[in-house]
Amino acid sequence: MRGATHAKWTALAAAVALMATACGGGDDSGGGSGADGIVSSSWGDPQNPLEPGNTNEVQGGKVLSMIFRGLKQYDPKTGEAKNMLAENIETTDSTNFTITLKDGWTFSNGQAVTANSFVDAWNYGASLKNNQKNAFFFGQIEGYDQVHPESGEPTAETMSGLKVVDDKTFTVKLTQKFSTWPDTLGYAAFAPLPQVFFDDHASWLNKPIGNGPYTVDSYAKGSQMELRRWDAYPGEDKAQNGGVTLKVYTDNNTAYTDLTAGNLDLVDDVPASQLKNVQADLGDRYINVPAGIIQTLGFPFYDPAWNKPGQEKLRQGLSMAINREQITDTIFQKTRTPAVDWTSPVLGEDGGFKDICGDFCKYNAEEAKKLVAEGGGIPGGTMTITYNADTGSHKEWVDAVCNSINNALGNNRACVGNPIGTFADFRSQVSTQKMKGPFRAGWQMDYPLIQNFLQPLYYTNASSNDGKYTDPEFDKLVDQANAESDIAKAVETFQSAEEVLRDDMGAIPLWYQNGSAGYSERVSNVVLNPFSVPVYDQIKVS
């Protein structure tokens, strides 16, 4: 989730991460060169239609970052949250905010972006009736519990904490202090929506209309999406190319082969199997940079077999049975770093990064075997690690994790991989609680706060809490941290919540992921932002 920055929190941002894909070479992707050339890039079908309130995975998030602009925009180099459509966001108490919009912004259909464009979009995203996956992000706004109650029917249509003052001004009242709330507003869930979204929803879903530097020209599910430059885009970050064609690949090795053959311009997920060759293949056209991404193993706490008293020892033992150093060195060629907490090194120590996992994240076969036994053993004797097989080279590392666990436990049937064909199918099963054992989980910052690595994933009923983990002490500490106006104290309180997560081993941290990409000789000015997403609008075509 997939991901404003106080320097103290660390200037690295996150916008929802995705795996791009695009059509090969000039002819397939639309051809052209110079400012009108079309960039081809690899991709995967989004899990859901591209509603800002309903997209919380990397594939869809990439498109939203191209067709929408919000109140804030994360700097592609530093990750700092800078005003985009917001002229000012003012508060005197970190609870009541007055937001003033800049002049001159419209959607690509010509409609002006107004205060109502934001307020209506946020009310839609929050409403239980609309079943939006990102509804949780509006949970701090007063009246959310009336439009999205934990049980029963909504008692209100709109949140009482949102008020339109005039076309360029609206106010927001939160239920408690949240000093860094403005820094979250670059996340796609907070994007504005045009009136046509509400008037003709089906048509909008078929061809989304936004206010970003690109428009959606066409989309054929399972094949490709064509985005084209919007020449009337009013922002300063105008597209330096004629458009981007995102082509669906179900195997990133195929995408990499197309890249090296000159049939594709950009791959932003270099397969693990190609890491030993990538430098020779691409030279300085290979990018390997730190990113705000962590990979974990989630657990199905909704399954009684995996939610028994004392099973925290089982999960801790499984964590200690994973030889992270060996796996990151041999499979990932040092493009991953063994995890020591549930956040990311890009936050820095001031932002919350700290070795909190301790011995539970260090390989110790003897202790692992002991803890697994004390935790009641693996349910059913064999556990499966479920993952999507189409992108990310997941088979290699899942097999390696299972081998490590099997060796540590002295049982070659303790762990096996369970591939799901596509990312969309995998996410559908995960988000509908169909897992029968541990599953691959990855998180790319939505915004550069420690809160974003913890609350959306592990807070009770949070939007991306796919395993349904819950702990009242964790929730209480997160609430306290959000209310803290002193950033250093807020970070410390979030870390206390993280210690609760560690003691429960609510998820097993695996490793931090670098952003990796490769590009063709046909394009230049290719960079990854701190979220590991290509800055598509700045790519130039020769």
Side-chain angles (χ1 to χ4, degrees):
M1 221 324 34
R2 29 245 268 163
T5 301
H6 282 99
K8 292 181 180 178
W9 286 93
T10 301
L12 265 177
V16 178
L18 346 145
M19 284 169 224
T21 109
C23 188
D27 293 339
D28 285 345
S29 62
S33 62
D36 294 324
I38 305 300
V39 179
S40 61
S41 179
S42 60
W43 191 49
D45 280 314
Q47 178 188 3
N48 302 300
L50 294 170
E51 298 171 288
N54 206 33
T55 297
N56 67 347
E57 42 76 29
V58 296
Q59 308 296 347
K62 174 176 291 180
V63 178
L64 294 186
S65 72
M66 299 167 73
I67 66 174
F68 280 104
R69 288 294 180 264
L71 295 168
K72 294 274 190 177
Q73 180 75 2
Y74 299 115
D75 186 284
K77 294 181 179 179
T78 67
E80 180 182 359
K82 297 181 177 180
N83 284 351
M84 181 55 81
L85 271 70
E87 183 69 46
N88 292 298
I89 300 177
E90 300 173 316
T91 185
T92 58
D93 59 6
S94 296
T95 302
N96 294 278
F97 296 84
T98 298
I99 299 173
T100 307
L101 303 181
K102 294 177 180 176
D103 291 323
W105 280 87
T106 69
F107 294 98
S108 61
N109 65 354
Q111 180 193 339
V113 180
T114 66
N116 279 108
S117 305
F118 286 96
V119 170
D120 291 347
W122 295 6
N123 277 320
Y124 181 92
S127 175
L128 179 64
K129 294 180 179 179
N130 299 320
N131 195 30
Q132 301 285 282
K133 291 185 177 298
N134 285 330
F136 180 80
F137 284 93
F138 305 104
Q140 295 93 351
I141 299 174
E142 184 181 81
Y144 174 81
D145 57 345
Q146 296 173 14
V147 302
H148 200 116
E150 291 188 12
S151 60
E153 295 296 318
T155 58
E157 293 290 329
T158 60
M159 291 181 284
S160 58
L162 294 178
K163 303 290 185 185
V164 173
V165 177
D166 54 43
D167 280 352
K168 290 291 185 288
T169 313
F170 66 102
T171 61
V172 183
K173 184 177 182 180
L174 306 182
T175 56
Q176 63 179 36
K177 291 182 178 181
F178 192 175
S179 60
T180 53
W181 180 74
D183 287 357
T184 72
L185 299 178
Y187 182 46
F190 296 102
L193 287 169
Q195 188 58 41
V196 67
F197 176 90
F198 306 98
D199 294 343
D200 192 350
H201 192 217
S203 294
W204 189 96
L205 290 178
N206 186 53
K207 194 170 184 179
I209 294 171
N211 66 325
Y214 294 96
T215 61
V216 175
D217 189 62
S218 65
Y219 174 41
K221 185 175 176 63
S223 178
Q224 66 182 30
M225 175 179 286
E226 295 185 354
L227 297 108
R228 296 297 178 257
R229 180 180 63 215
W230 176 30
D231 288 329
Y233 172 65
E236 294 181 359
D237 55 336
K238 296 180 183 296
Q240 301 300 301
N241 50 67
V244 179
T245 296
L246 302 175
K247 185 175 180 180
V248 175
Y249 284 88
T250 57
D251 183 348
N252 62 348
N253 283 287
T254 304
Y256 184 82
T257 299
D258 278 356
L259 172 67
T260 56
N263 297 321
L264 187 67
D265 290 325
L266 177 60
V267 169
D268 71 347
D269 178 29
V270 176
S273 60
Q274 298 293 343
L275 290 173
K276 60 182 179 297
N277 307 317
V278 68
Q279 201 68 54
D281 290 343
L282 301 177
D284 60 5
R285 291 181 286 111
Y286 169 56
I287 301 172
N288 179 27
V289 294
I293 307 173
I294 184 172
Q295 300 289 338
T296 63
L297 284 183
F299 289 93
F301 289 95
Y302 47 81
D303 185 341
W306 284 94
N307 194 10
K308 297 177 182 178
Q311 280 189 327
E312 68 278 358
K313 289 188 176 183
L314 165 64
R315 296 186 291 272
Q316 291 164 354
L318 291 173
S319 178
M320 297 182 78
I322 299 171
N323 193 331
R324 295 166 177 80
E325 292 280 356
Q326 184 181 69
I327 293 170
T328 54
D329 284 353
T330 58
I331 291 182
F332 292 116
Q333 303 288 304
K334 298 188 182 300
T335 60
R336 309 287 191 275
T337 304
V340 297
D341 80 336
W342 285 259
T343 68
S344 168
V346 300
L347 292 179
E349 292 184 4
D350 289 345
F353 175 66
K354 183 181 179 182
D355 183 353
I356 284 179
C357 192
D359 288 342
F360 291 140
C361 284
K362 293 182 174 65
Y363 181 69
N364 186 329
E366 183 178 350
E367 186 66 16
K369 191 171 185 179
K370 175 186 173 185
L371 283 171
V372 167
E374 291 177 355
I378 295 172
T382 300
M383 73 178 197
T384 58
I385 296 179
T386 303
Y387 63 95
N388 58 296
D390 54 347
T391 57
S393 303
H394 301 308
K395 174 177 169 47
E396 290 90 340
W397 70 256
V398 169
D399 287 348
V401 164
C402 278
N403 286 337
S404 183
I405 290 173
N406 291 344
N407 289 337
L409 301 186
N411 178 1
N412 62 12
R413 297 181 58 192
C415 178
V416 296
N418 178 39
I420 301 294
T422 67
F423 177 79
D425 287 345
F426 167 71
R427 282 298 309 161
S428 178
Q429 292 188 35
V430 168
S431 60
T432 54
Q433 290 75 57
K434 297 293 198 312
M435 296 295 101
K436 300 299 184 183
F439 54 92
R440 179 189 81 79
W443 186 252
Q444 192 158 4
M445 303 184 297
D446 299 314
Y447 41 83
L449 304 178
I450 184 175
Q451 177 264 354
N452 186 241
F453 284 93
L454 300 177
Q455 187 167 359
L457 293 163
Y458 307 113
Y459 194 93
T460 301
N461 293 325
S463 59
S464 296
N465 187 348
D466 293 322
K468 299 302 179 184
Y469 168 79
T470 181
D471 188 292
E473 182 65 15
F474 177 89
D475 292 354
K476 184 179 79 171
L477 289 165
V478 166
D479 289 340
Q480 291 175 357
N482 282 334
E484 180 57 65
S485 58
D486 181 275
I487 290 177
K489 290 182 179 178
V491 167
E492 184 178 340
T493 307
F494 275 121
Q495 289 174 330
S496 295
E498 200 175 355
E499 290 172 355
V500 174
L501 182 64
R502 173 201 62 203
D503 294 343
D504 287 343
M505 196 53 71
I508 293 178
L510 294 175
W511 37 75
Y512 312 114
Q513 181 174 327
N514 279 11
S516 68
Y519 58 95
S520 73
E521 295 178 344
R522 183 174 170 268
V523 296
S524 60
N525 204 36
V526 180
V527 297
L528 299 180
N529 65 20
F531 317 99
S532 182
V533 175
V535 185
Y536 279 109
D537 53 73
Q538 298 306 301
I539 296 176
K540 297 180 179 180
V541 181
S542 60

